[in-house]
Amino acid sequence: DPCRNFHCKRGKVCHVDQQGEPCCICQDPAACPSTKDYEHVCGTDNKTYEGTCQLFGTKCQLEGTKMGRQLHLDYMGSCKYIPPCTDYEVDQFPLRMRDWLKNILMQYYERDLNTSGILTEKQRNKIKKIYQNDKRLAAGDHTVELLLHDFEKNYHMYVYPVHWQFHQLDLHPADRLLTHSELAPLRASLVPMEHCITRFFQECDGDQDKLIALKEWCHCFGIKK
């Protein structure tokens, strides 16, 4: 089968042409496998798609058009009303996000104590210093005031989690710049819970070049260096 090891980007499938050569053609959205309700996704056109196969197949068919360029995965789940993000809320967003990233790494570290494999040795060594610090703020539903106070008092505990998340996303390619596609895995899963995340990332892009550089990312999260 010429298509066996032939890779096509999302929204396209391998097809053998008349000469027997493999090539990529747009996925027919109607031919996508059926999905469960929890696999539905919302596109930036505010339309619910049965799954990412249908969304990216549709985007491929619109290639070269304005609609095609503007269509992306907005968030996981069926489309619903997302309230607008106020100036106050977007200002508070990095406080919760920093705390959330730190706590995710704490969970990964605890899991690795029993069955290593999630973190590299270098990552474990960095996280261990935060984990063993008796001044660390435990996970919980904290007030904005407490999160701000802890960030100012224990700033050093938040630097690595912010850097870590950037490099977790910066993969295709790893060039110290985050594209819309690289941000999608984080954004799409959080939008229903954190309605300010879209505006936050838009405002992070200080030079409006559709890319978030490491320096811009750190600035948004209040990391000074």
Side-chain angles (χ1 to χ4, degrees), residues 15 23 55 64 86 120 123-124 132 156 159 198 214-215 223:
H15 172 74
C23 62
L55 169 67
T86 66
T120 65
Q123 288 171 335
R124 271 197 301 274
Q132 293 182 338
H156 60 283
V159 177
T198 299
L214 178 59
K215 192 173 181 179
I223 305 302

Side-chain angles (χ1 to χ4, degrees), residues 2-188:
C3 280
R4 181 176 291 174
N5 295 314
F6 194 78
H7 179 71
C8 295
K9 71 176 187 177
R10 293 183 86 170
K12 295 195 174 188
V13 289
C14 183
H15 172 74
V16 180
D17 63 18
Q18 292 179 338
Q19 287 74 41
E21 294 296 320
C23 62
C24 293
I25 61 169
C26 286
Q27 164 76 51
D28 177 5
C32 287
S34 60
T35 58
K36 308 287 186 192
D37 284 351
Y38 61 79
E39 294 175 296
H40 289 182
V41 296
C42 185
T44 46
D45 56 354
N46 203 33
K47 179 182 171 185
T48 297
Y49 293 84
E50 288 192 8
T52 52
C53 171
Q54 195 180 83
L55 169 67
F56 288 106
T58 303
K59 179 177 173 65
C60 181
Q61 291 189 334
L62 293 169
E63 209 165 84
T65 67
K66 185 179 179 181
M67 282 180 67
R69 286 192 297 275
Q70 292 178 341
L71 179 58
H72 298 286
L73 169 63
D74 198 6
Y75 53 89
M76 310 305 286
S78 300
C79 294
K80 63 179 184 178
Y81 173 69
I82 303 288
C85 175
T86 66
D87 292 345
Y88 175 78
E89 286 174 321
V90 82
D91 286 344
Q92 310 313 318
F93 179 80
L95 297 176
R96 294 194 306 277
M97 188 74 175
R98 282 189 306 244
D99 188 56
W100 183 68
L101 292 175
K102 182 193 69 182
N103 289 327
I104 281 178
L105 286 181
M106 297 305 102
Q107 288 177 17
Y108 284 174
Y109 181 79
E110 285 181 337
R111 214 176 299 169
D112 262 23
L113 291 175
N114 302 320
T115 52
S116 60
I118 299 174
L119 303 166
T120 65
E121 187 178 351
K122 185 178 179 182
Q123 288 171 335
R124 271 197 301 274
N125 288 336
K126 283 183 175 289
I127 298 164
K128 183 179 181 180
K129 293 175 184 175
I130 304 172
Y131 185 81
Q132 293 182 338
N133 194 318
D134 57 6
K135 293 179 182 177
R136 174 169 60 86
L137 184 66
D141 187 16
H142 303 301
T143 64
V144 166
E145 290 75 21
L146 180 57
L147 290 174
L148 182 60
H149 174 73
D150 192 63
F151 177 64
E152 291 171 350
K153 188 178 174 186
N154 298 306
Y155 169 82
H156 60 283
M157 291 192 199
Y158 292 91
V159 177
Y160 182 71
V162 169
H163 281 203
W164 170 82
Q165 180 64 83
F166 183 93
H167 294 295
Q168 288 294 109
L169 297 169
D170 183 27
L171 297 173
H172 308 292
D175 56 1
R176 288 180 160 240
L177 294 168
L178 294 182
T179 63
H180 188 282
S181 298
E182 287 175 317
L183 279 170
L186 179 66
R187 242 194 89 265

